[in-house]
């Protein structure tokens, strides 16, 4: 397993909820990342965020890891859930909140 | 060079025959599109799989020249 993949795998499996994003929750650097942050804040769950702008290896590696071409990317208990669009669709349908309950994700 | 609405639509319908594609220009700059795709091929597929099918239809331009494509997908309900 490549170094990037190993690093990503440990990050993804190290917390219940992990958001790979551009910028930070306080200072998102992209509209889609900003939307992902506000969705997670609405869900009221604790999450780890990773600023891919600070780490080019992670920025490219995460796209290969999930076979998904864009950032942000959400992981729940190690599983890739989707990007900002899918998070929005799931949130609007109440599916994201239910999934977090089903997977017993820690509250913020 | 960003893709035009017609190019995006044609790429999707070529790869997903029978798909209904609705384009909405979010910023009037030919680079921020909201796209809704309803395709029979999505039946039984997860959202991630459906979106990946569209990204494949766009030939790897997603995340490159196609920076901001807001995508929603579903299988036909009837």
């Amino acid at each position: 397993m490549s170094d990037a993949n190993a690093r990503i795998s440990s990050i993804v499996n190290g917390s219940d909820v992990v958001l790979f994003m551009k910028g930070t929750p306080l200072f998102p650097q992209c509209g889609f990342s900003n939307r992902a942050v506000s969705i997670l804040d609405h869900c009221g769950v604790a999450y780890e965020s990773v600023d891919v702008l600070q780490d080019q290896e992670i920025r490219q590696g995460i796209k290969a890891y999930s076979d998904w071409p864009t950032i942000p990317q959400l992981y729940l208990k190690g599983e890739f859930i989707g990007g900002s669009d899918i998070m929005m669709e799931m949130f609007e349908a109440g599916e994201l909140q239910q999934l977090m309950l089903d997977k017993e994700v820690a509250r913020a | 060079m960003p893709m035009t609405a017609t190019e995006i639509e044609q790429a999707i319908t070529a790869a997903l025959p029978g798909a209904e594609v609705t384009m909405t220009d979010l910023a009037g700059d030919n680079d921020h599109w909201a796209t809704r795709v309803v395709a029979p091929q999505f039946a039984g597929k997860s959202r991630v799989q459906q979106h990946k099918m569209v990204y494949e239809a766009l030939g790897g331009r997603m995340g490159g020249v196609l920076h901001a494509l807001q995508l929603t997908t579903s299988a036909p309900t009837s």
Side-chain angles (χ1 to χ4, degrees):
Chain A
M1 188 189 272
S2 78
D3 183 38
N5 254 15
R7 282 178 59 206
I8 291 169
S9 182
S10 73
I11 296 169
V12 157
N13 294 295
S15 307
D16 277 1
V17 184
V18 181
L19 180 69
F20 291 83
M21 64 176 289
K22 290 178 182 173
T24 63
L26 274 179
F27 299 105
Q29 299 301 307
C30 150
F32 292 104
S33 289
N34 185 33
R35 191 168 66 159
V37 164
S38 63
I39 288 170
L40 288 179
D41 291 344
H42 274 93
C43 289
V45 290
Y47 64 96
E48 194 70 34
S49 70
V50 177
D51 181 358
V52 302
L53 299 178
Q54 303 304 321
D55 189 326
Q56 284 308 313
E57 188 181 51
I58 295 275
R59 182 173 186 177
Q60 293 318 317
I62 194 67
K63 295 177 185 175
Y65 185 85
S66 57
D67 183 27
W68 187 261
T70 56
I71 302 290
Q73 295 188 17
L74 178 68
Y75 291 75
L76 215 53
K77 299 250 174 154
E79 185 195 341
F80 174 60
I81 302 301
S84 163
D85 293 343
I86 286 177
M87 285 176 70
M88 180 56 91
E89 280 185 273
M90 291 179 73
F91 180 73
E92 283 171 350
E95 289 171 22
L96 191 59
Q97 300 87 318
Q98 188 57 51
L99 187 59
M100 288 180 173
L101 287 173
D102 296 347
K103 294 200 173 221
E104 294 163 356
V105 167
R107 308 295 300 169
Chain B
M1 243 295 282
M3 287 177 81
T4 65
T6 317
E7 284 168 338
I8 293 170
E9 215 168 318
Q10 283 170 351
I12 294 171
T13 48
L16 299 168
E20 262 175 59
V21 182
T22 314
M23 303 290 298
T24 311
D25 189 342
L26 295 175
D29 61 358
N30 239 4
D31 191 26
H32 290 76
W33 296 103
T35 304
R36 171 144 191 74
V37 184
V38 179
Q41 297 86 343
F42 292 158
K45 297 272 196 313
S46 74
R47 278 199 179 92
V48 170
Q49 289 166 325
Q50 292 177 22
H51 282 226
K52 280 186 178 178
M53 289 164 77
V54 175
Y55 291 158
E56 263 154 46
L58 295 172
R61 295 186 195 86
M62 196 50 216
V65 286
L66 254 182
H67 164 63
L69 180 82
Q70 207 164 299
L71 183 60
T72 51
T73 59
S74 69
T77 42
S78 56

